[in-house]
Amino acid sequence: MEKKQLETLSILIPVYNEVDNIFPLFESLMKALKKTERPYEVIFIDDGSTDRTLDALIDLNCKNPNVKVISFTRNFGQTAALSAGIDSCKGDIIIPMDGDLQNDPENILLLLQKIEEGYDVVSGWRKDRKDPFLTRRLPSIIANKIISFIGGVYLHDYGCTLKAYRKDILKNIRLYGEMHRFIPIYAKWVGARVTEIPVHHFLRKSGSSKYGMSRVFKVVLDLMVVKFLMSYSQKPIYVFGGIGLLMVIGAFLSGGYAIYLKLLKDISFILTPLPLLSVLLLMLGFLSILMGFLAEIMTRTYYESQGKPTYHIKETIP
Ligand code: UDP
Ligand code: MG
């Protein structure tokens, strides 16, 4: 009786050339899932692996009815893989994790405890992270501070894949680029309760990391997009119009100062860059305001053509 009411878990594991990790990972995952005593499904997303990863996954799928495999035609990236998993999973609680044995499946129990306490998002924090300091941990520490500050959700480790989400929170989220790490920000934005807990982290034993330093730049750019969408996607004119108005004001100030210099100090217009600055700012200012109008038209199309509400209802009481 009790068991039936327990919500189903969906474990999502994107894998890209992780052939040697699949079986050991699955074994320890099974042990942990048994302990939760909940119904579960495990969805592996093969992100266009070129080794024998897919064969290993098909093998698992044949032996275990709870294993589902999604196979991409080519490498689309970890975010796309997670999106595919989210779109096709059936569970009430979604738990993504890495397929390289760097996360500890046992920690799923800890995440679940927090979900049971009523949180909608529980973020793993690799407190004792086993990656190189200069190329990984240091950029990550800085990035997490910046992301927390800009996103307004204070987490130590956005990059940790091992997290737990209530399914309803992810319903309307679409992910692009490297954005899966920003889900807690989106979630908070629609009113979710977000928390974090320390989780284990292990050295990568086989296979190699799929990322280099270029990820840092992608994450920074994605963060800017997320921040923009979060704060202004419904009112882009506030950003473009705001910048435009500032420029127009700047244009009048510098123009005014140029006239003051000309009339009272007898300094010719051509002796200062002020008239040029004034014209430039005026033009850019108007252009920016016009871009704001265009963006407004686009947001209307975005929300209205898809029937997307501009709010999120928790429940309606009759
Ligand atoms: N991954 C993926 N597609 C990619 C890159 C990575 O599915 O294009 C998977 C990878 O197989 C692993 C997880 O994402 O399961 C995390 O990748 P990785 O271990 O390379 O990242 P790191 O731990 O070095 O940050
Ligand atoms: Mg890894």
Side-chain angles (χ1 to χ4, degrees):
M1 204 46 206
E2 249 304 274
K3 247 178 211 171
K4 266 204 182 124
Q5 284 168 357
L6 282 173
E7 294 154 309
T8 311
L9 308 181
S10 289
I11 314 293
L12 309 182
I13 312 179
V15 281
Y16 178 48
N17 294 344
E18 306 283 2
V19 61
D20 295 325
N21 293 319
I22 303 283
F23 291 117
L25 168 68
F26 188 67
E27 210 172 291
S28 56
L29 181 60
M30 279 306 112
K31 271 191 213 142
L33 287 175
K34 281 219 178 76
K35 287 187 201 160
T36 68
E37 299 186 337
R38 287 170 182 265
Y40 64 85
E41 62 175 354
V42 180
I43 304 183
F44 282 97
I45 305 97
D46 171 43
D47 188 10
S49 298
T50 48
D51 62 1
R52 301 186 65 81
T53 300
L54 186 59
D55 296 335
L57 294 179
I58 291 172
D59 194 28
L60 281 185
N61 165 267
C62 293
K63 290 180 190 145
N64 194 318
N66 296 329
V67 173
K68 208 164 135 183
V69 179
I70 297 173
S71 162
F72 280 179
T73 47
R74 66 163 171 86
N75 180 249
F76 281 93
Q78 197 185 348
T79 301
L82 281 174
S83 291
I86 292 170
D87 289 341
S88 74
C89 72
K90 303 214 163 53
D92 310 290
I93 298 166
I94 299 180
I95 303 179
M97 63 188 289
D98 280 347
D100 57 0
L101 285 168
Q102 289 196 274
N103 293 137
D104 182 359
E106 291 287 325
N107 288 146
I108 290 176
L109 295 146
L110 298 177
L111 296 174
L112 284 176
Q113 263 173 21
K114 284 281 166 195
I115 290 276
E116 278 159 10
E117 278 174 32
Y119 289 98
D120 303 297
V121 176
V122 187
S123 174
W125 167 21
R126 296 165 290 180
K127 205 169 179 176
D128 183 19
R129 185 171 167 184
K130 302 286 191 303
D131 279 326
F133 180 75
L134 263 187
T135 54
R136 282 303 170 88
R137 275 165 29 221
L138 184 66
S140 157
I141 290 170
I142 299 170
N144 280 300
K145 288 246 169 358
I146 299 176
I147 298 171
S148 296
F149 178 71
I150 293 184
V153 185
Y154 292 85
L155 297 181
H156 285 94
D157 197 357
Y158 276 92
C160 178
T161 316
L162 184 63
K163 293 183 162 52
Y165 308 98
R166 286 208 160 273
K167 167 112 187 191
D168 17 327
I169 274 309
L170 298 186
K171 231 169 9 200
N172 290 320
I173 294 182
R174 301 246 52 98
L175 304 173
Y176 301 90
E178 284 288 315
M179 286 187 187
H180 64 269
R181 63 195 68 239
F182 300 133
I183 296 177
I185 299 182
Y186 275 108
K188 183 90 179 196
W189 180 34
V190 301
R193 300 222 293 149
V194 182
T195 187
E196 72 177 352
I197 50 162
V199 295
H200 293 139
H201 191 243
F202 304 119
L203 262 177
R204 199 187 235 284
K205 287 198 202 79
S206 56
S208 56
S209 172
K210 310 298 181 298
Y211 296 104
M213 286 298 279
S214 69
R215 177 164 64 179
V216 176
F217 294 103
K218 292 183 186 165
V219 168
V220 170
L221 291 170
D222 278 339
L223 177 67
M224 287 163 61
V225 175
V226 168
K227 173 67 185 171
F228 176 75
L229 289 179
M230 216 173 65
S231 310
Y232 300 110
S233 74
Q234 288 181 26
K235 283 312 291 173
I237 187 70
Y238 291 169
V239 174
F240 292 106
I243 294 173
L245 282 181
L246 279 182
M247 287 184 183
V248 172
I249 292 171
F252 277 106
L253 286 181
S254 78
Y257 192 53
I259 292 170
Y260 161 80
L261 290 179
K262 164 85 184 153
L263 295 182
L264 295 177
K265 304 266 165 164
D266 209 20
I267 299 175
S268 163
F269 281 146
I270 52 171
L271 288 178
T272 69
L274 292 172
L276 190 67
L277 185 69
S278 187
V279 172
L280 201 70
L281 284 177
L282 202 62
M283 278 166 48
L284 286 179
F286 276 120
L287 274 181
S288 182
I289 294 171
L290 286 178
M291 288 220 300
F293 290 147
L294 280 182
E296 283 285 325
I297 293 175
M298 282 158 71
T299 6
R300 298 226 175 345
T301 319
Y302 174 76
Y303 283 101
E304 288 165 25
S305 68
Q306 301 178 53
K308 272 186 196 289
T310 50
Y311 47 81
H312 295 263
I313 296 178
K314 191 171 170 203
E315 61 181 326
T316 316
I317 298 155

